[in-house]
Amino acid sequence: MNAGNAAPPSARAVAAAPAAAAATGGNAILARLKQQRAAPPPPAVAATAGAKPPLTFAFASQTGTGAEIARNLAAEAVEKGYKAQCMSLTELGYAALTSGRTPYLVIVASSTGDGDPPDNSGAFFVALRKKQEGKPLVGVKFTLLGLGDSNYTRFMYVSRAIKGRLLDLGAAEFYPCAEADEVDGIESVVDPWSEGLWTALAAETPAAAEQQVRLALCVWNFGAYKGQGHACE
């Protein structure tokens, strides 16, 4: 079965794993994720109205690992003050992909069999790939974590197909997508990708955008004052 397993880091305190849990790979990661979700979370950070964009976490997961990753990320998002929802891609539905309903979309996607979409993403996958006119997903920003096993011929087929189709329809990456291969050890990809996600999202807040505008104006004004013209190119 071509289904990746990975785990994001969490801000929640987790009790040390028992010595007997020496397993590595997907099963060990899944156990760690479930343990993290079972631990009592710290108080959620109060979000300033309009300060942070709403987030949608969606998964295509056959073995459950991708779902756990997405749910843990969604829980961490709430702790950081974001309004977040999490569900399978089929539960979300292609029709929900609009700039108003899903302005920021984080997908965790694996394949099953030899490159087939997991059961909880099949309907979404079919709808996404239907022929459409124009760029209906302009305004939707996304990132995607692919989970897979390079021993299979159609390695990362589902995650790559979803990414490519989203781009074709006008959606844009706000944070580089990543691929975690079970053969190489997925923790080395998933953990830094998960950490970097929060930095990328922080840069998308209105406050961060306003700061960038102010910086550009400051540089422009300084250049004009020094007789150097537009210095913020």
Side-chain angles (χ1 to χ4, degrees):
M1 179 175 291
N2 183 8
N5 298 276
S10 175
R12 285 170 282 178
V14 182
T24 59
N27 290 335
I29 293 171
L30 184 56
R32 172 159 67 95
L33 285 168
K34 289 182 177 179
Q35 187 179 29
Q36 289 172 350
R37 283 175 53 77
V45 177
T48 303
K52 295 183 176 181
L55 309 177
T56 299
F57 294 84
F59 54 85
S61 175
Q62 191 71 21
T63 65
T65 304
E68 284 296 315
I69 293 172
R71 289 169 182 149
N72 271 30
L73 287 172
E76 191 169 352
V78 171
E79 292 167 12
K80 293 179 181 293
Y82 291 91
K83 181 179 179 181
Q85 60 178 343
C86 184
M87 64 202 76
S88 72
L89 282 171
T90 290
E91 289 173 320
L92 175 63
Y94 171 74
L97 300 189
T98 66
S99 59
R101 296 175 64 181
T102 55
Y104 287 88
L105 177 64
V106 180
I107 300 175
V108 182
S110 63
S111 302
T112 188
D114 192 18
D116 300 318
D119 295 339
N120 55 20
S121 63
F124 175 91
F125 194 70
V126 170
L128 179 68
R129 302 184 73 193
K130 286 184 178 178
K131 184 177 180 180
Q132 300 180 54
E133 299 295 333
K135 302 283 186 180
L137 300 187
V138 169
V140 175
K141 297 185 177 182
F142 78 97
T143 187
L144 186 150
L145 173 63
L147 309 175
D149 186 329
S150 57
N151 285 316
Y152 288 82
T153 304
R154 301 176 81 194
F155 174 61
M156 294 289 174
Y157 178 76
V158 170
S159 59
R160 291 173 182 174
I162 291 174
K163 174 186 173 181
R165 189 61 176 148
L166 290 175
L167 292 172
D168 288 343
L169 295 176
E173 283 183 80
F174 73 89
Y175 176 52
C177 299
E179 296 182 344
D181 185 359
E182 181 73 27
V183 171
D184 297 329
I186 46 187
E187 299 95 331
S188 62
V189 172
V190 176
D191 288 347
W193 181 86
S194 299
E195 286 289 349
L197 173 64
W198 308 118
T199 302
L201 284 169
E204 296 287 327
T205 63
E210 182 180 352
Q211 184 178 19
Q212 290 297 319
V213 171
R214 288 179 176 176
L215 178 60
L217 287 173
C218 179
V219 173
W220 188 92
N221 288 331
F222 178 77
Y225 176 76
K226 301 290 286 187
Q228 298 173 359
H230 295 199
C232 57
E233 297 179 350

